[in-house]
Amino acid sequence: MVRPTHAHIDLHSLTFNYRRIREYLGARAEASPTAPRIIAVIKANAYGHGAVRVARALESVETGPAGGLMLACADIEEGIQLREAGVCAPILVFGALSVSNLDGVVVHGLTPTVSSPEAARALQATAARHGQQLHVHLKVDTGMNRFGFRYDNIRRTVPVALEDRNLIIDAVYTQFATAENIDHPLFDLQRQRFEIALETLRGMGLDEFTSHAANSSALLRDRRTWYDAVRPGLLLYGVMPTPIDTALSVRPVLSLRSRIVAVKGMRVGETAGYATQFSAGRASRVAVIPAGYADGLDLRLAGTASVLVRGQRASIVAVSMDSTTVDVSDVDVSPGDDVVVIGSQGDDRIDACEVARWIGTVPHEILCRTGTRIERIYNSEFL
């Protein structure tokens, strides 16, 4: 049985987007013998799309044992979930590892990130205990001030990761803080710092490694940030992260749909919702949708956002835990009618970027908020 509120996940669009990104990189890699590798970001349950199904679909695009595909997740537990589901592609773990059970990295063949001297020591001890060498990526903090070895302190802090033969550093990477903000100077400053850090590491004897830095926005903004690999997240899911004129076109993968379960009349001055979120300024009709903030719909959508019903926009007037009320005074609706929260209906479309603008956040958050009790319905043969 499918609940009235559910998410449609179009895995054909996902694989289309992956191929388009790959083609885009290949067509513009004039200065390089090969295009950058794609590290597909599927953390946070693949931005709400379902990490296991997304990973399997992406693996189907590549030949051999996932070909040149690499996946990236937030923590060891996410990586283990993918491995236990039979995902074979290399998996990079982004997160800090200082308080994690590192045995899972070895047992499940994950690629951890070394982002501090403490993480290096912990990974070295784990590798030694298992009698194995660990292939790792080293993260440099160029201005995000979250995880990573400081770009200006590498000579003092990184040697602990270089000196032990149990760790093999395959790649070095960084994270941009302002890639979506075209006017912010930190973006280019971080790129310059990263390149200095790469040269410093080479001078310390780290010779054979690859590098990566570009998320979806950086990938579109600046060819110089591609390096040996790129890390698309939003683009994979069909969301253009920043208003940049680009030849790359992608298709939305997720649509969030529900149905009207009740229609009520309201007299002038009557209110709807907790704390009287809405007051009727005229004789009105409102419809109730069985999805609320427990399903990921933000309380701030009330009074600012809309849904699509019968191809028309209906304003959201109240959001509760399990339901949302919309004003349908100007739309002829009935219980059972389809409602689109994210997606297309008729000639109109509401996408994650528009929803994000309504409440002053980023589309990443909108996608990731798709609640756990919302069933994902997949449209393809991918297992």
Side-chain angles (χ1 to χ4, degrees):
M1 181 179 294
V2 178
R3 295 180 69 245
T5 303
H6 51 274
H8 285 263
I9 311 296
D10 185 350
L11 294 179
H12 291 302
S13 290
L14 175 83
T15 56
F16 171 86
N17 295 341
Y18 180 86
R19 291 187 177 98
R20 289 291 294 123
I21 295 168
R22 190 171 61 183
E23 292 166 2
Y24 179 83
L25 295 170
R28 286 159 180 78
E30 306 91 351
S32 303
T34 58
R37 183 184 194 182
I38 294 178
I39 302 175
V41 180
I42 61 170
K43 62 181 180 176
N45 199 28
Y47 290 35
H49 293 70
V52 170
R53 297 294 293 269
V54 165
R56 288 174 174 171
L58 292 174
E59 282 189 317
S60 75
V61 178
E62 297 287 2
T63 58
L69 171 71
M70 188 175 204
L71 305 172
C73 61
D75 53 37
I76 295 173
E77 290 72 24
E78 286 187 346
I80 291 174
Q81 179 191 37
L82 294 169
R83 286 286 186 252
E84 290 180 341
V87 175
C88 298
I91 299 173
L92 173 63
V93 178
F94 282 144
L97 305 176
S98 57
V99 296
S100 300
N101 181 356
L102 299 181
D103 290 326
V105 168
V106 179
V107 173
H108 296 277
L110 307 177
T111 302
T113 292
V114 178
S115 58
S116 68
E118 294 76 20
R121 295 187 187 98
L123 285 167
Q124 288 164 356
T126 301
R129 187 168 61 253
H130 286 268
Q132 295 187 24
Q133 290 182 314
L134 272 179
H135 290 261
V136 304
H137 288 204
L138 185 145
K139 186 168 187 180
V140 177
D141 182 3
T142 56
M144 187 78 168
N145 282 309
R146 190 171 57 181
F147 302 125
F149 294 89
R150 281 189 60 98
Y151 71 94
D152 54 358
N153 204 23
I154 284 176
R155 290 191 179 278
R156 189 174 71 86
T157 58
V158 169
V160 66
L162 301 179
E163 293 166 355
D164 195 297
R165 295 183 179 273
N166 290 321
L167 299 186
I168 300 174
I169 298 175
D170 289 338
V172 179
Y173 74 100
T174 195
Q175 176 73 30
F176 290 114
T178 60
E180 290 80 11
N181 187 340
I182 296 176
D183 299 322
H184 204 293
L186 181 59
F187 176 73
D188 197 55
L189 181 59
Q190 282 192 263
R191 182 188 61 79
Q192 295 172 35
R193 289 171 174 172
F194 184 53
E195 294 183 356
I196 292 172
L198 296 179
E199 287 303 311
T200 301
L201 289 167
R202 292 187 183 99
M204 296 170 64
L206 185 63
D207 296 321
E208 297 183 7
F209 65 91
T210 60
S211 54
H212 52 94
N215 63 0
S216 293
S217 294
L219 184 162
L220 296 174
R221 278 188 62 177
D222 193 336
R223 165 71 180 79
R224 293 173 297 175
T225 67
W226 289 5
Y227 300 104
D228 300 296
V230 296
R231 305 191 303 266
L234 280 183
L235 280 175
L236 277 177
Y237 308 114
V239 178
M240 296 300 291
T242 185
I244 293 177
D245 185 17
T246 176
L248 177 60
S249 60
V250 290
R251 300 172 181 170
V253 176
L254 178 145
S255 61
L256 183 58
R257 302 173 181 274
S258 190
R259 300 176 72 185
I260 290 175
V261 293
V263 180
K264 300 178 69 68
M266 292 181 61
R267 297 184 176 91
V268 176
E270 290 186 331
T271 62
Y274 289 114
T276 64
Q277 288 173 284
F278 170 70
S279 178
R282 58 170 177 164
S284 304
R285 294 173 72 242
V286 295
V288 180
I289 304 164
Y293 60 75
D295 303 290
L297 276 67
D298 196 289
L299 286 167
R300 292 169 293 177
L301 292 172
T304 61
S306 302
V307 298
L308 296 175
V309 187
R310 295 199 177 186
Q312 300 183 59
R313 295 204 171 204
S315 299
I316 296 175
V317 297
V319 178
S320 303
M321 180 183 291
D322 306 303
S323 65
T324 294
T325 305
V326 299
D327 186 348
V328 292
S329 301
D330 301 318
V331 188
D332 184 17
V333 303
S334 301
D337 281 353
D338 292 327
V339 177
V340 173
V341 180
I342 297 175
S344 299
Q345 191 182 70
D347 297 327
D348 203 351
R349 175 172 189 82
I350 296 172
D351 61 24
C353 290
E354 183 173 10
V355 178
R357 287 193 296 271
W358 280 332
I359 63 172
T361 187
V362 292
H364 312 63
E365 180 180 354
I366 300 302
L367 295 175
C368 291
R369 278 188 168 197
T370 306
T372 55
R373 71 180 180 183
I374 291 180
E375 184 173 353
R376 274 73 168 167
I377 300 174
Y378 297 87
N379 71 327
S380 79
E381 70 278 8
F382 300 116
L383 297 177

